[in-house]
Amino acid sequence: MDAFLFLILFSSTLLSINAYEDTCTMMQCGDGAPKIQFPFQVKGRQLQHCGYPGFELVCKDNTTFIPFPSYNGDLVVKSISYHTKSLSLLDPKSCVHEVFLNLNLSLTPYHYYYVVKNYTYLNCSSRLVSSSFSEIPCLSGSKYHVYTVEPSLAIPNSCRPVKTVAIPFQYSPYLADNSFGLGLSWDLPGSEDCEANGGHCGLKDKTGCFNLAHDIVFSIGIFIFAMVVATVTIIRIYHSKKIHCQDEEKYSTVVEKLGDYNQILKPSK
C-alpha cells in the first residue's frame, strides 16, 4: 500500500512538471525584447501559475510593457536581469519626473534600483532665475513652472509645494528624460535559489515557488524509495509464505509419522 501511494505521488509530480513546461515556457514580446520567465508572466497569454502576483507584463506591438496600479500609463521594459533582479524601464512620454511624481511603488513588489532621496516638487507661477533651480520642461507650461528641490531649501514666494517624494535623482537638463533613474528591483524570497540551481521556477502557492529540477530529483527519489519498499515487501511476503509452507510440510510429516507409529502400536486382533 505504501509503495502504491508513493507511485501515485511520483506520477502526479511528473504530470504537474509536464503541464508547467507546456504552458510556462520562456517567451518574448518580439525580436530583441527581454526574455520573460518566472517570476514574470505575460498577462492574457500565460496561466496564473506561470508568474508571481504583481509581476504581470503586457505584450503590445512587439514591445514589452509593465503596468502599475498607481500610474496612468504603461512603461516600456527595456531589459530584465534575473541575476541582479532588476528592470530597466523607458517612459514612452519622455518624462521621467512625471513617473517619479506619480508612481507609488509601495503598492507593488518593486523598489527603485538606485538609492533614493527626498525631493520636493514645486509649482511656481513665474520662472525662477536662480542657478539652484532647474525647470522640468515636460511638467511645465506657459503659466506654471515645475522644479525639484531639496526639502530644506527655502521656498520662493511665487511657488507652492506639490509633493515630497523619495526618488533616485533630482531633475537635471543633462540627464536623459525618458529613462535615467528608471531602474527597479524586486525581492522575492526563494526565487533566486530556483534559477541559481539550474531549475525553472513556477508558482507553487501564494507564498513561494517550486523548482522543477529539484522536484524531478525528489520524484526520482520517491520512485526509488517506492521500488525499495515494494521489493522489501515482496521479499517479506515470499519468505513468510515459504516459512508457512515449510511449517505445513513439517506438520504433515509429523502427522504421517504419528500415523505410522499408531499403526505399529495398534494391537492385532
Side-chain angles (χ1 to χ4, degrees), residues 2-3 24 29 61 68 71 91 95 97 113 125 130-131 165 181 187 199 202 214 230-231 235 248 250 254 260 263:
D2 291 340
C24 300
C29 293
D61 298 328
F68 291 100
Y71 182 69
D91 178 23
C95 192
H97 276 273
Y113 184 75
S125 57
S130 172
S131 59
V165 291
D187 292 315
H214 286 179
T231 303
I235 292 174
E248 286 187 348
K250 289 179 179 179
V254 170
D260 294 341
Q263 193 68 28

Side-chain angles (χ1 to χ4, degrees), residues 16 25 31 52 85 90 95 100 105 111 126 129 168 175 189-190 203 207 215 222 236 252:
S16 66
T25 56
D31 293 337
Y52 205 84
K85 293 187 292 184
L90 290 172
C95 192
F100 289 158
L105 293 179
H111 54 83
S126 60
V129 295
L175 303 178
L203 188 63
T207 60
D215 283 354
I222 290 176
R236 285 179 176 176
S252 299

Side-chain angles (χ1 to χ4, degrees), residues 66-76 90-105 107-108 182:
I66 181 169
F68 291 100
S70 64
Y71 182 69
N72 185 22
D74 295 339
L75 300 175
V76 176
L90 290 172
D91 178 23
K93 294 183 289 186
S94 294
C95 192
V96 167
H97 276 273
E98 182 183 8
V99 179
F100 289 158
L101 181 62
N102 296 292
L103 185 60
N104 185 1
L105 293 179
L107 303 176
T108 75
L182 272 182

Side-chain angles (χ1 to χ4, degrees), residues 225-236:
F225 181 72
M227 291 298 97
V228 171
V229 171
T231 303
V232 171
T233 303
I234 292 172
I235 292 174
R236 285 179 176 176

Side-chain angles (χ1 to χ4, degrees), residues 40 54-55 66 68 75 84-89 99-100 103-117 166-168 181-189:
F40 298 96
F55 287 85
I66 181 169
F68 291 100
L75 300 175
T84 60
K85 293 187 292 184
S86 61
L87 293 164
S88 180
L89 307 179
V99 179
F100 289 158
L103 185 60
N104 185 1
L105 293 179
S106 66
L107 303 176
T108 75
Y110 306 102
H111 54 83
Y112 285 114
Y113 184 75
Y114 302 100
V115 177
V116 296
K117 181 180 178 181
I167 59 178
L182 272 182
L184 302 181
S185 185
W186 71 86
D187 292 315
L188 188 60

Side-chain angles (χ1 to χ4, degrees), residues 127-143:
R127 183 172 282 111
L128 303 178
V129 295
S130 172
S131 59
S132 301
F133 301 92
S134 293
E135 184 177 351
I136 306 174
C138 65
L139 290 179
S140 302
S142 59
K143 296 182 179 180

